[in-house]
Amino acid sequence: MHDVIIIGSGPAGLSAAFWCDELGLDALVLEQAEEIGGQLHIVHNPIENHLRVKTKNGKEFLERITADVSKADFDLWTQTTIESIDLNAKRVTLQSGETLQAISIIIATGVRRRKLGIAGEEEFQGKGIIDSGKLERDLYKGKDVCVIGGGDAAAENALILSDVCATVTLVHRSKRLRARREMLEQLQTNHCITVFTESVVTRILGNEEVEAVEVLRKDGLKPFQIAVKGVLIRIGVEPNTELFANQLQVDERRYIVTNSTHETNVAMVFAIGDV
Ligand SMILES: Cc1cc2nc3c(=O)[nH]c(=O)nc-3n(C[C@H](O)[C@H](O)[C@H](O)COP(=O)(O)OP(=O)(O)OC[C@H]3O[C@@H](n4cnc5c(N)ncnc54)[C@H](O)[C@@H]3O)c2cc1C
């Protein structure tokens, strides 16, 4: 029996755990991944918007905020898979068969990158699917690449890759890109970048590695291929709510609905952070 079970150990879950410790509550943090930190592991840009903390990337930020995790008095279990959860009963059953009980549950499961769900997306992971423009751009020096998406992340990666790549083709399904105005201006004046709007990538093709993408324009009858060596996908994120979505009020995008004190519609169940 615990006072609080916190699900997820990203910045939100860890903040909650530190506060529980401060308040003398017995808290247990459950994390499915091998390491704590959540999305901080994929933040490669400097973090500058937190009071008195400026770090060169997410990992350094994580080191700063967790410098005294070992001194804090809460339990933290990584590589822990939750099999099921009963929010009304505040009961969590782990894949190992163990059952945990709490007075309160805090959901801090964050978000994950949305996938396209097209052929080649999984097959070419590490074989031409680019995870980060910033970290991998030198691997694609002088090559043709495709970026899929129309928001800030897609535009930013297209601009980063355009510094070294021969060509960058940006493919976006809607009529307008959602990226910030300053990025749009840079895209428009960048001769290395071609933008296809109202178009979708239907397949990623290749043998051992990525060799092309198949693109279908909204007004086109037949898909056509563009030869590329790399594909970077940034089509937004989705919340990690599969475990509880049927027990809680969620919005149309499956994010958890809370009030201003982060209470959900289930008593003593709270949701914090990106989720
Ligand atoms: C490229 C990039 C750059 C960013 N830059 C900035 C920035 O400069 N400044 C800023 O303020 N923010 C930035 N962010 C956003 C910031 O990283 C997120 O807002 C923050 O990580 C959200 O924290 P969280 O704890 O809510 O969720 P997450 O960080 O997503 O963590 C959720 C955790 O829950 C775990 N989890 C999920 N499901 C389960 C489950 N069923 N059981 C157990 N564990 C589970 C996950 O494994 C993960 O560890 C950036 C994000 C990205 C991707």
Side-chain angles (χ1 to χ4, degrees), residues 8-198:
S9 73
L14 290 174
S15 300
F18 280 116
W19 268 105
C20 286
D21 179 30
E22 197 78 22
L23 296 170
L25 297 169
D26 158 37
L28 167 65
V29 181
L30 301 177
E31 169 57 57
Q32 66 185 7
E34 227 169 278
E35 286 183 80
I36 61 169
Q39 288 171 73
L40 292 178
H41 292 278
I42 54 165
V43 176
H44 307 300
N45 54 284
I47 297 188
E48 296 173 334
N49 59 331
H50 288 262
L51 268 183
R52 294 171 59 80
V53 183
K54 285 200 190 317
T55 60
K56 65 174 192 289
N57 55 36
K59 282 211 176 136
E60 195 181 295
F61 186 82
L62 179 62
E63 280 162 21
R64 292 276 287 278
I65 61 172
T66 56
D68 34 43
V69 150
S70 54
K71 282 188 236 149
D73 192 16
F74 57 80
D75 289 324
L76 180 55
W77 298 356
T78 54
Q79 290 180 287
T80 302
T81 305
I82 297 174
E83 183 69 36
S84 64
I85 183 162
D86 182 335
L87 290 180
N88 278 317
K90 319 285 176 288
R91 197 166 35 243
V92 177
T93 306
L94 304 182
Q95 203 177 47
S96 60
E98 193 171 347
T99 300
L100 307 164
Q101 183 74 47
I103 297 168
S104 171
I105 290 183
I106 299 179
I107 301 170
T109 47
V111 297
R112 59 173 179 266
R113 281 191 192 137
R114 196 189 296 279
K115 291 192 173 174
L116 276 172
I118 58 170
E121 187 177 17
E122 296 301 329
E123 185 187 342
F124 294 116
Q125 288 295 334
K127 299 173 187 166
I129 300 290
I130 307 171
D131 195 47
S132 158
K134 192 165 183 183
L135 293 190
E136 294 171 55
R137 66 177 178 177
D138 288 341
L139 294 174
Y140 294 90
K141 207 172 187 167
K143 296 180 180 166
D144 303 309
V145 298
C146 172
V147 175
I148 306 170
D152 283 349
E156 187 184 16
N157 277 285
L159 291 166
I160 289 171
L161 289 165
S162 73
D163 284 344
V164 297
C165 293
T167 67
V168 178
T169 305
L170 184 71
V171 181
H172 180 48
R173 65 178 176 174
S174 306
K175 203 169 183 173
R176 288 199 180 79
L177 303 178
R178 294 185 318 273
R180 269 177 270 165
R181 183 148 25 113
E182 66 264 29
M183 285 191 192
L184 292 180
E185 283 165 7
Q186 287 181 56
L187 286 179
Q188 275 157 7
T189 53
N190 190 313
H191 299 300
C192 178
I193 301 176
T194 306
V195 180
F196 284 106
T197 54
E198 296 190 272

